[in-house]
Amino acid sequence: MSWAGRMILGVFRILLVLVHASAACDFGPFPYRATGIVCRLTKPAALLLNQETAQVIQAAFRNAKFPNITGERSVRLLGKVSYELTNIQVNGLSIEKSDVELKGNNVIYIAIKNVTASFKGTLTYGYAGAWFLRLFHSVDFEIESSIDLQLDIKLMCQEDKLVADASACYLTFHKLTLHLQGDKEPGWLKQLFTDFISFTLKLVLKREVCKEINSLAQTLANFVLDLAANFVRDKDIIVDVSLAADSLIQTGYVESHHKGFVLYKNYSSTLSDSVFSPSLLTESRMLYFWLSEHTLSSLASAAFLDGRLVLTIRGEKLQALFEMEDTEAQRKAVQMIFQGTSYNDSVAKVWSLAHPQISLQPEGTVVKSLVAAEVTILPTGGEPLVVLYMEKEITVTIQAAYVEKKLILQPLDSSIEFKVFKCTADPSGDEPSVQNFLQNMISVVGIPEVISSIGSALTSLMNNKRLNLFDIINPEIITRQGYIIVQLDFDFPHHLLLDFLQRSL
């Protein structure tokens, strides 16, 4: 999961990162061939995330900057009547209902029903009537409105990146009433001003609210792109999540395709033979991530180059490793290796000697690696002494699961082939009990210990990226030949969107 991406932060954020307009980018006749990561969001997830739309719309209304509204009319018997509305701001807002629909032509349709909004400000008006009569007044006003809001959100691809376009924004007014100084039953003069300004006021509200929604949509798009890029980046290891192919918008799901190239200093990976096809994913779960074997293998290579495939074992863990069984053969082997030195004065180190080879198969992820291990004793007052060194080729099949916000890696079977074996207590290698004990120890305890440590490290990395803040329900990690699928349902952590809106507005 830490290599895939985290794209869940509200209906706009999820949907904005999933779609782009094909007219803006040319991916060639075979775009899927460069696809390393795929994200599919199904209709149930879109409906769930649409519940967050109210927060975004409320923020758009409250953050809109309304200009002063001025006007002038000629009225029989009264002469010229002029007015100016100033200090317009939202006083109250509620939303009755919001619906989302996935359409073709890369459009996401969102209908906001019955937005009840109250605006307040100051109205200054005057008229120069017959017989040189002049009257000028300044009063507080309140506007009650009931509005339906329709958004057709499009996303365009520019230089393989997303640009949100929510300019297709439509407001329908069911009610627009002006009250002066709290008077709910205006006289003929107040009604006159209501008629004057209602048309202009509607235009201003539509322009400013829609402009703010469009701006907020782009802000959210940029935020989620930065968030996704940060999630699949750790120090110098970067996964390129720019777009690799046209997106699909079906009635049941939205699907985006990403390159998934791994970049590390002077190392980079390319993919031109992806096996992805939309038919590989279903619509039974809310969210899917598809990852290619190439992406995972490249990540393992980058981790190797960055010196991360190293494990040091000391103290109680080292003791548990070498005392997995209480037998005469075990005691004899431990005595020969450690020469009576305490475990607290010893250290074991395991590391990969070459790029691990990863193969995704139906039974699990098959990892083949050339591994070195050494045991060093640290005698009091003496120099460190390497008492055991070995190189071995290990092939292990691993199944992965995400349980209680922890990544669990479970080895199913393994094979070990010694390439180099050096032991100071047995320089000739004539004592088979030591090598037999070590091979059994590595299979039964050593490999599970190393894999468990990798799982813990990856969990820590994912938590550092705040994945643990999301409510992930019944996640499944399924391996197939050449790719892996992560499928899950989720519940949205509402505070994340609120925190973002508070920081951004």
Side-chain angles (χ1 to χ4, degrees), residues 39-342:
C39 180
R40 174 178 288 189
L41 181 82
T42 63
K43 185 62 177 291
L47 294 174
L48 172 67
L49 292 170
N50 185 56
Q51 298 173 9
E52 304 304 315
T53 303
Q55 301 289 346
V56 178
I57 299 304
Q58 288 175 353
F61 269 83
R62 294 193 176 105
N63 201 52
K65 306 300 182 184
F66 299 102
N68 296 340
I69 300 174
T70 61
E72 184 179 84
R73 293 283 295 274
S74 295
V75 180
R76 182 181 298 179
L77 301 179
L78 293 178
K80 289 185 177 180
V81 178
S82 61
Y83 59 88
E84 182 178 26
L85 282 78
T86 58
N87 302 321
I88 304 174
Q89 54 187 297
V90 177
N91 192 35
L93 183 70
S94 65
I95 295 176
E96 181 179 287
K97 184 180 180 182
S98 175
D99 295 319
V100 63
E101 182 179 351
L102 306 179
K103 291 186 174 182
N105 301 319
N106 296 310
V107 174
I108 302 164
Y109 171 79
I110 298 178
I112 317 296
K113 299 294 185 181
N114 195 17
V115 180
T116 302
S118 174
F119 303 87
K120 65 179 182 178
T122 302
L123 169 64
T124 301
Y125 66 92
Y127 63 91
W131 305 290
F132 304 101
L133 178 63
R134 291 178 176 272
L135 295 175
F136 297 95
H137 296 278
S138 181
V139 297
D140 293 334
F141 72 83
E142 181 181 5
I143 300 170
E144 294 181 355
S145 68
S146 179
I147 308 168
D148 286 348
L149 177 63
Q150 176 184 325
L151 300 173
D152 290 341
I153 302 176
K154 292 185 179 181
L155 289 100
M156 297 170 289
C157 176
Q158 294 181 359
E159 299 179 354
D160 294 343
K161 294 185 178 181
L162 289 167
V163 176
D165 179 11
S167 59
C169 171
Y170 310 95
L171 270 65
T172 302
F173 289 84
H174 300 295
K175 174 184 178 182
L176 188 67
T177 305
L178 174 67
H179 302 294
L180 301 182
Q181 295 180 326
D183 185 358
K184 304 300 182 180
E185 299 293 337
W188 68 272
L189 185 60
K190 298 174 183 178
Q191 186 62 52
L192 176 65
F193 283 111
T194 299
D195 294 338
F196 281 176
I197 69 176
S198 61
F199 178 74
T200 303
L201 183 60
K202 289 178 182 179
L203 292 178
V204 171
L205 291 178
K206 176 186 183 302
R207 181 179 68 243
E208 298 305 321
V209 170
C210 288
K211 182 174 69 175
E212 183 60 30
I213 289 175
N214 194 29
S215 175
L216 185 57
Q218 185 57 57
T219 300
L220 289 168
N222 292 336
F223 176 77
V224 74
L225 290 173
D226 292 342
L227 186 71
N230 178 66
F231 187 79
V232 293
R233 174 174 185 164
D234 188 62
K235 297 181 181 178
D236 292 329
I237 300 177
I238 304 169
V239 178
D240 185 349
V241 293
S242 56
L243 300 171
D246 289 330
S247 298
L248 294 178
I249 303 182
Q250 305 292 340
T251 57
Y253 65 87
V254 181
E255 183 176 279
S256 65
H257 315 94
H258 307 268
K259 293 178 181 178
F261 297 166
V262 176
L263 308 173
Y264 174 76
K265 295 183 178 179
N266 294 327
Y267 168 84
S268 64
S269 65
T270 58
L271 177 62
S272 60
D273 57 352
S274 175
V275 299
F276 175 75
S277 168
S279 62
L280 297 177
L281 303 178
T282 67
E283 301 177 35
S284 61
R285 305 299 298 274
M286 294 172 67
L287 186 63
Y288 295 81
F289 292 106
W290 182 96
L291 299 105
S292 69
E293 179 179 286
H294 176 85
T295 296
L296 293 180
S297 182
S298 298
L299 279 167
S301 294
F304 165 75
L305 293 172
D306 200 44
R308 302 193 186 194
L309 303 184
V310 179
L311 176 64
T312 300
I313 306 174
R314 304 174 183 270
E316 293 181 358
K317 283 193 173 183
L318 184 62
Q319 181 176 0
L321 189 66
F322 278 89
E323 294 184 2
M324 61 176 185
E325 56 184 17
D326 187 15
T327 64
E328 182 63 29
Q330 173 258 312
R331 288 190 292 271
K332 180 180 178 181
V334 169
Q335 179 62 33
M336 291 183 64
I337 295 171
F338 289 91
Q339 303 176 22
T341 302
S342 167

Side-chain angles (χ1 to χ4, degrees), residues 338-373:
F338 289 91
Q339 303 176 22
T341 302
S342 167
Y343 290 112
N344 292 327
D345 297 324
S346 307
V347 59
K349 180 182 176 183
V350 182
W351 70 98
S352 183
L353 292 168
H355 294 251
Q357 301 176 31
I358 292 181
S359 174
L360 297 176
Q361 302 295 332
E363 58 270 19
T365 302
V366 181
V367 181
K368 185 176 182 179
S369 182
L370 182 62
V371 176

